[in-house]
Amino acid sequence: MTRPENDPITLSNNLLHSLLDQQIPLIQSFKGKWSLIKSKLADLQAQLNDFSELQTSITNSLSLDLLHSISQTLNDAHLLAEKCLDTNLTEGKLKTQSDIDSILAKLNQNVKDCEVLIKSGVLQDGTLSGSGSKRELVRAEFRNLITRLQIGSTESKNAAMDTVLSLIQEDDKNVMIAVAQGIVPILARLLDCNSCLDIKEKSVAAISKISMVDSSKHVLIAEGLLLLNQLIRILESGSWFAKEKACIALQALSFSRENARAIGSRGGICSLLEICQAGTPSSQGLASGVLRNLAVFEEIRENFIEENAVFVLIGLAASGTALAQENAIGCLCNLVKEDENLKILIVKEGVIECLRNFWDSCPPARSLEAAVVLLRELATSQAIAEGLVSDGFVVRLVAVLSCGVMGVRSAAARAVYELGFNMKTRKLIGELGCISPLIKMLDGKAVEEKEAAAKALSLLVLHAGNRSIFRKTEGGIVSTVQLLDPSIQNLDKKYPVSILASILNSKRCRKQMIAAGAAVHLKKLMEMDVEGSKKLLDGLGRGKIWGVFARP
């Protein structure tokens, strides 16, 4: 392709030829360094030849900026070469060596920028303007923006980040396109401490947005320690805006055991706890959410103990925003699992009052799950359970058993089981109305819910008054018999067997069990060696009705 003499590629090529053919061969000082410069100039010459094949190279703004930078570098190199032809080195060896190193660094950057621009496909995208689908145009725009984020000036990168944020906030599909075009590694590098503060904050904002799109999270996780280290650094020294965005990203990344270990070992827990103590209300809610995820992993819990996290979390549960309270309670729940001493400690520090106040503030049912699960964890300790019963938590559970969120209902049923530790509390639980909603849960869609309800009922019907309520409640026997069906998998059959065995003495109940098909199911459960199935089947056989079981 023939180009005019004032074309920026032609001008740069002329300078290259002058340096390579006329000046550098004659230079006698710093030959080693000039040899390196010669090598970089040869690379640059090949890249300029590639540019010359693309018509858009002198119309694309990115290309023009880069060609201007190359031209400036070559002019500086030309002037420096002239000075080095003078063997006296009038400006001194140290100054000259410093100038040569500067030219070498600029050339190195120019070569890298050319490589990025050529590989990006941006120059080929020039033919798309005004044509192609909307999605293809967005892809081309992101290729252009990603290239700007790598080779532009600080001002250019800042403007590019503004456009990136605008596009990804507009539509989650744009997030997926940006991720597919390779934006995540670029954003991770822009979080480096040497970046301009504005660019750094906009980069973490973009990463936080990407972390909220499920289909893109895996790309963030793949960035590994590079991204984690930068996000943890932001927790330590970033602005509150940046800290909030970093917490959003870390919430998505902290579900991985490997990432959780990395956050714990790099001081992340300490920084998150500091935000929980002194951060903005919004940042406290987000930071406590990350801590809640981390506390799931047993090997990290020691880090929480070392940082006195329990006291910070209880303080947040007492006075934080609704989200912060929920996350603090959820984090405490994860921390105290299978740790009796820690349970006793948080009770002494006032967690039950926090739990009661949060519960009574009438949060949405889904937000209540953390409180219900913590109640259940605390109830596994009988000494604590007695206090929970006397504090009126059974009444609170009755209402939750009928809420519209399956996970909360299931957690409440498990809490009922733990609180029914003796006949006195079982009687109270029955009198307060727990039996009927638990029976309704036996018909729930999820096996998890069915089993939680059956387990709670198997304990409650040990009390005569509760057995009476169960027998009189419509659908209780039929729903329980249905759980005996071996086709319902992952449900421990010993619980429905135990419920039905408790009412076996009633002739009317036996008839209902038989009519509902209990015998057929029990024969199969006997073959599977399910605990109590043989005894229940034998019990149903009384009354000379054995012939019923001969039919398949």
Side-chain angles (χ1 to χ4, degrees):
M1 184 185 295
T2 305
R3 292 182 176 276
E5 289 187 4
N6 62 349
D7 174 275
I9 295 177
T10 303
L11 292 173
S12 292
N13 270 321
N14 290 340
L15 284 168
L16 271 168
H17 287 303
S18 176
L19 281 162
L20 289 169
D21 300 336
Q22 299 170 21
Q23 291 180 301
I24 293 178
L26 301 176
I27 294 173
Q28 298 301 312
S29 53
F30 300 108
K31 281 190 172 184
K33 289 187 178 293
W34 279 104
S35 177
L36 292 174
I37 289 175
K38 184 177 180 181
S39 175
K40 287 298 174 186
L41 290 172
D43 292 339
L44 197 57
Q45 191 172 39
Q47 290 168 331
L48 288 174
N49 288 337
D50 290 337
F51 276 8
S52 66
E53 298 298 319
L54 296 165
Q55 191 172 1
T56 55
S57 61
I58 56 170
T59 57
N60 180 280
S61 60
L62 263 179
S63 178
L64 285 171
D65 288 345
L66 180 53
L67 288 170
H68 175 75
S69 175
I70 290 169
S71 178
Q72 185 62 52
T73 302
L74 293 175
N75 271 314
D76 292 345
H78 178 75
L79 293 173
L80 184 59
E82 286 291 334
K83 292 177 183 177
C84 287
L85 286 171
D86 182 353
T87 54
N88 293 324
L89 298 177
T90 53
E91 293 190 356
K93 281 190 175 183
L94 288 177
K95 174 69 167 60
T96 303
Q97 183 172 339
S98 174
D99 290 343
I100 292 173
D101 288 340
S102 175
I103 291 295
L104 192 55
K106 288 177 183 178
L107 282 171
N108 192 47
Q109 189 61 55
N110 288 152
V111 168
K112 285 181 180 178
D113 289 350
C114 283
E115 185 177 356
V116 168
L117 184 55
I118 291 167
K119 285 184 177 181
S120 71
V122 167
L123 298 180
Q124 288 88 339
D125 288 337
T127 57
L128 277 174
S129 56
S131 65
S133 67
K134 180 183 178 183
R135 186 166 294 186
E136 190 53 48
L137 291 171
V138 172
R139 285 194 188 99
E141 176 66 3
F142 272 118
R143 282 194 288 273
N144 180 57
L145 292 167
I146 289 168
T147 307
R148 283 187 180 278
L149 292 175
Q150 295 175 82
I151 71 173
S153 63
T154 298
E155 293 76 13
S156 174
K157 288 178 181 178
N158 213 352
M161 275 307 313
D162 286 335
T163 308
V164 166
L165 285 172
S166 176
L167 284 171
I168 63 176
Q169 295 292 349
E170 180 183 302
D171 190 344
D172 283 355
K173 289 180 181 177
N174 289 350
V175 173
M176 292 186 278
I177 292 172
V179 169
Q181 296 304 313
I183 199 169
V184 170
I186 308 305
L187 293 173
R189 286 200 289 273
L190 289 173
L191 291 179
D192 187 86
C193 294
N194 295 326
S195 298
C196 140
L197 181 59
D198 277 353
I199 294 174
K200 189 172 182 176
E201 292 202 345
K202 290 169 185 176
S203 298
V204 75
I207 287 170
S208 74
K209 174 60 181 176
I210 292 169
S211 75
M212 296 165 71
V213 178
D214 288 339
S215 60
S216 300
K217 289 179 184 178
H218 69 283
V219 183
L220 292 178
I221 293 171
E223 281 301 300
L225 292 179
L226 171 66
L227 178 57
L228 280 178
N229 287 338
Q230 296 296 354
L231 291 173
I232 292 169
R233 206 170 287 165
I234 289 171
L235 293 182
E236 295 168 354
S237 57
S239 66
W240 285 117
F241 171 84
K243 287 179 180 181
E244 287 182 16
K245 299 302 181 184
C247 284
I248 292 172
L250 286 170
Q251 279 193 19
L253 297 172
S254 53
F255 285 105
S256 150
R257 183 179 298 273
E258 183 181 351
N259 283 351
R261 278 200 295 260
I263 294 168
S265 64
R266 286 167 169 75
I269 290 174
C270 177
S271 298
L272 289 163
L273 288 169
E274 286 177 0
I275 294 172
C276 287
Q277 285 181 293
T280 61
S282 176
S283 65
Q284 287 178 334
L286 295 167
S288 56
V290 183
L291 291 169
R292 181 178 180 177
N293 291 347
L294 296 175
V296 169
F297 303 102
E298 188 174 352
E299 60 265 45
I300 309 241
R301 291 175 193 166
E302 190 59 37
N303 297 87
F304 281 85
I305 305 303
E306 289 173 1
E307 299 292 346
N308 292 318
V310 165
F311 306 102
V312 176
L313 291 167
I314 289 176
L316 196 60
S319 59
T321 62
L323 177 61
Q325 288 178 316
E326 178 190 347
N327 284 331
I329 289 169
C331 185
L332 286 167
C333 180
N334 291 332
L335 287 176
V336 301
K337 281 181 181 175
E338 300 176 6
D339 191 328
E340 290 299 309
N341 292 331
L342 206 50
K343 288 174 187 175
I344 292 168
L345 173 62
I346 67 170
V347 168
K348 286 180 179 177
E349 292 299 322
V351 78
I352 292 178
E353 183 181 354
C354 295
L355 202 56
R356 182 172 59 245
N357 292 339
F358 177 69
W359 204 310
D360 294 346
S361 68
C362 300
R366 192 172 297 281
S367 299
L368 200 53
E369 185 170 0
V372 178
V373 176
L374 179 57
L375 175 65
R376 182 241 177 185
E377 286 294 334
L378 295 175
T380 58
S381 170
Q382 187 171 334
I384 299 173
E386 290 174 357
L388 292 170
V389 171
S390 63
D391 265 341
F393 278 98
V394 175
V395 178
R396 293 177 174 88
L397 281 174
V398 175
V400 175
L401 286 169
S402 299
C403 78
V405 182
M406 185 276 292
V408 180
R409 293 195 303 269
S410 300
R414 294 189 193 99
V416 167
Y417 176 84
E418 298 297 344
L419 289 174
F421 53 86
N422 62 28
M423 285 297 181
K424 181 181 177 182
T425 61
R426 290 168 200 157
K427 178 176 182 289
L428 175 64
I429 290 169
E431 290 173 346
L432 289 173
C434 278
I435 304 296
S436 180
L438 286 170
I439 288 173
K440 288 180 182 176
M441 287 174 63
L442 296 176
D443 295 324
K445 290 183 179 179
V447 172
E448 174 191 352
E449 180 176 10
K450 293 175 186 285
E451 182 174 274
K455 185 176 181 180
L457 285 168
S458 71
L459 190 69
L460 295 178
V461 294
L462 295 177
H463 185 272
N466 293 339
R467 287 198 297 275
S468 177
I469 297 171
F470 181 84
R471 288 197 304 266
K472 294 174 183 177
T473 303
E474 185 179 354
I477 292 173
V478 173
S479 297
T480 306
V481 169
Q482 288 173 350
L483 298 186
L484 298 176
D485 187 345
S487 67
I488 301 176
Q489 299 179 354
N490 301 317
L491 188 148
D492 195 332
K493 303 299 181 184
K494 72 182 181 184
Y495 298 125
V497 167
S498 175
I499 295 169
L500 296 173
S502 73
I503 55 173
L504 194 58
N505 289 335
S506 166
K507 183 178 179 180
R508 186 173 65 85
C509 291
R510 288 199 302 272
K511 286 183 177 180
Q512 288 184 48
M513 290 183 220
I514 293 164
V520 176
H521 295 324
L522 286 168
K523 285 181 69 177
K524 294 177 182 176
L525 295 184
M526 261 181 58
E527 295 170 3
M528 296 162 61
D529 292 326
V530 172
E531 180 184 335
S533 58
K534 184 179 184 304
K535 186 175 180 181
L536 180 56
L537 184 59
D538 290 344
L540 287 178
R542 296 188 195 117
K544 298 181 181 180
I545 55 170
W546 188 261
V548 174
F549 305 122
R551 293 194 296 272

